[in-house]
């Protein structure tokens, strides 16, 4: 039986008390939590209820009666329609504050730790929190003018036309717009999932942070590539910074962007980029951080947290293409990386060779299986670096860490909730030295964090247990 004080379609007045993990404002109407995107703490707003479920409600902002001093004019013309950003209506200093607060709230909710007693540091932000993304993957569709690209609106499959994304590199926007014009000129029609007619599904563009080299991949629903060679040459003529053009074939009805077949149609096999002193070759599938400027800060924080002296053995779990492990390798005795994706391990080995790093070793598999084998063979890690997906570490990996007991764990998190849930288990044997939030994606609700955990000695553990 629905006992909610709100009904769908009802208009109501509410004051926003806090910001949720997805960037929406949270108010309480007759003690029921209501989630309202586009609102700020302290604002008094009129909203319309759009959904009631499970003891909470969702609503759409109608108007702001009392504005927060942290409200600002969004830079993007389609902000609020496009689902890519959630915080453009909020001043940047306030964005940094609420991202730290998201970690605070998660620790308070999911652990037995007192966030007041933790060293949760101010969020590391950017000087310019716009035009930072080095990669765009944009669905292709139609509007009244023909072929267009954009992003899906929040919680829907409605495509919003975006010609100038404020968080992407300006050069990427230029190349995307040229690519769209060429699809139109060559009559490469947009794919329609409902009718399964048309060809072009996505345009994926990546730009090197330091080199400026650009790689373009057209994702097509069928293998009619006849026009693509000429189209690619035209694109490279109009945009000389484009050094590599690929076509990918994906005929499946899936949320995955790329299909299995990746074919180079013009230019180089890869583009190159530099981060710090490191050089990376980037193929269309290669994982690479989306905000290189903040990535340098993130990796330096990992290196600082690892506190290496040159003698330590390091495990880089979830190593991907090896970037984090190789970043710290000059201060370690040996770095061993493990990842379940074979292609990533191949790239990691190639990156180590490219950068003349000779103290790394890589294996394909799950860290919870591979690391105990290494330990039994005499390789006992002093430091373990984990950079899990948004789902966090699984229980098997946590149990493995508690058994192997490295001196330090450096946890790189992209989700405060799963970080906190993992910390609840890890802090049975480790203390949290500090949490450093880092803003990798300004204007969005996402926040990364680097956490240093140190293994407790017996006296610390006894003292901790006695307080329970």
């Amino acid at each position: 039986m629905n006992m909610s004080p709100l009904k769908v379609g009802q208009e109501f007045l509410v004051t926003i008390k806090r910001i949720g993990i997805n960037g929406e404002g949270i108010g309480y109407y007759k003690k029921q939590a209501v989630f309202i995107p586009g609102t700020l703490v302290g604002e008094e707003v009129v909203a319309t209820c759009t959904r009631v479920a499970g003891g909470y409600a969702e609503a759409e902002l109608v108007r702001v009666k009392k504005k927060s001093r942290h409200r600002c004019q969004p830079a993007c013309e389609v902000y609020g329609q496009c689902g890519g950003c959630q915080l453009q209506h909020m001043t940047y200093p306030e964005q940094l504050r609420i991202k730290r607060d998201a970690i605070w709230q998660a620790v308070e909710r999911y652990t037995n730790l007192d966030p007041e007693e933790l060293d949760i540091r101010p969020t590391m932000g950017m000087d310019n929190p716009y035009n930072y993304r080095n990669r765009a993957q944009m669905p292709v569709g139609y509007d009244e003018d023909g072929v267009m690209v954009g992003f899906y609106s929040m919680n829907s499959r409605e495509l919003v036309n975006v010609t100038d994304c404020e968080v992407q590199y300006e050069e990427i926007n230029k190349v995307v717009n040229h690519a769209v014009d060429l699809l139109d000129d060559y009559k490469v029609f947009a794919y329609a999932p409902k009718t399964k007619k048309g060809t072009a599904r996505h345009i994926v563009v990546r730009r090197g942070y330091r080199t400026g080299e650009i790689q373009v991949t057209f994702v097509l629903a069928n293998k009619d590539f006849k026009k693509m060679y000429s189209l690619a040459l035209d694109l490279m003529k109009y945009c000389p910074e484009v050094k590599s053009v690929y076509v990918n074939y994906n005929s499946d009805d899936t949320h995955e962007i790329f299909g299995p077949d990746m074919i180079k149609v013009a230019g180089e096999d890869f583009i190159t980029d530099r981060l710090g002193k490191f050089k990376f070759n980037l193929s269309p599938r290669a994982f690479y951080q989306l905000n290189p400027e903040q990535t340098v800060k993130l990796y330096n924080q990992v290196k600082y947290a690892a506190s290496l002296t040159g003698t330590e053995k390091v495990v880089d779990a979830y190593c991907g293409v090896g970037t984090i492990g190789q970043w710290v390798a000059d201060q370690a005795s040996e770095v061993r990386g493990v990842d379940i994706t074979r292609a990533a391990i191949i790239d990691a080995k190639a990156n180590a060779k490219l950068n003349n790093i000779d103290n790394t070793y890589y294996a394909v598999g799950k860290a919870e299986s591979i690391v105990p084998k290494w330990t039994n063979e005499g390789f006992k890690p002093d430091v373990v670096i984990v950079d899990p997906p948004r789902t966090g570490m699984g229980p098997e990996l946590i149990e493995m860490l508690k058994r192997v007991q490295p001196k330090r764990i450096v946890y790189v998190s992209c989700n405060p909730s799963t970080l906190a849930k993992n910390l609840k288990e890890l802090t049975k044997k480790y203390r949290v030295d500090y949490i450093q939030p880092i803003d990798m994606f300004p204007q969005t609700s996402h926040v990364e964090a680097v956490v240093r955990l140190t293994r407790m000695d017996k006296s610390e553990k006894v003292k901790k247990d006695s307080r329970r």
Side-chain angles (χ1 to χ4, degrees), residues 173-224:
N173 289 326
K174 184 188 85 168
V175 169
V176 167
N177 289 330
H178 273 296
V180 168
D181 290 343
L182 287 168
L183 288 176
D184 230 2
D185 292 345
Y186 277 86
K187 299 191 185 317
V188 180
F189 301 116
Y191 176 73
K194 289 184 179 178
T195 63
K196 302 192 185 307
K197 293 181 179 179
T199 300
R201 299 184 70 152
H202 285 82
I203 298 174
V204 181
V205 181
R206 171 183 268 159
R207 179 184 181 273
Y209 172 55
R210 292 296 185 196
T211 64
E213 296 178 358
I214 289 180
Q215 182 178 72
V216 180
T217 305
F218 294 94
V219 181
L220 308 182
N222 58 62
K223 290 186 176 180
D224 182 12

Side-chain angles (χ1 to χ4, degrees), residues 229-247:
Y229 177 68
S230 297
L231 189 155
L233 293 181
D234 278 350
L235 181 61
M236 294 174 78
K237 181 176 71 174
Y238 296 141
C239 304
E241 61 269 41
V242 175
K243 305 298 183 186
S244 172
V245 181
Y246 277 78
V247 165

Side-chain angles (χ1 to χ4, degrees), residues 243-254:
K243 305 298 183 186
S244 172
V245 181
Y246 277 78
V247 165
N248 177 266
Y249 169 57
N250 185 359
S251 63
D252 295 335
D253 289 326
T254 173

Side-chain angles (χ1 to χ4, degrees), residues 121-151:
R121 298 177 175 180
T123 309
M124 297 179 71
M126 300 186 72
D127 292 335
N128 173 25
Y130 288 98
N131 301 118
Y132 61 82
R133 285 182 71 105
N134 66 353
R135 187 171 187 262
Q137 47 188 45
M138 304 180 76
V140 181
Y142 284 111
D143 63 9
E144 62 273 11
D145 297 320
V147 176
M148 61 93 160
V149 295
F151 297 106

Side-chain angles (χ1 to χ4, degrees), residues 418-464:
T418 53
L419 167 65
K421 291 172 184 176
N422 287 166
L423 290 181
K424 182 179 181 180
E425 294 303 315
L426 290 171
T427 50
K428 293 175 181 177
K429 289 186 179 291
Y430 288 81
R431 69 168 182 271
V432 176
D433 292 332
Y434 64 84
I435 301 175
Q436 176 61 68
I438 301 173
D439 188 18
M440 297 292 287
F441 302 105
Q443 316 308 328
T444 79
S445 58
H446 297 292
V447 60
E448 310 266 322
V450 175
V451 186
R452 184 168 72 191
L453 298 111
T454 300
R455 188 180 67 215
M456 291 187 289
D457 59 30
K458 289 182 180 178
S459 62
E460 283 181 285
K461 193 169 183 307
V462 168
K463 187 184 296 184
K464 184 174 183 291

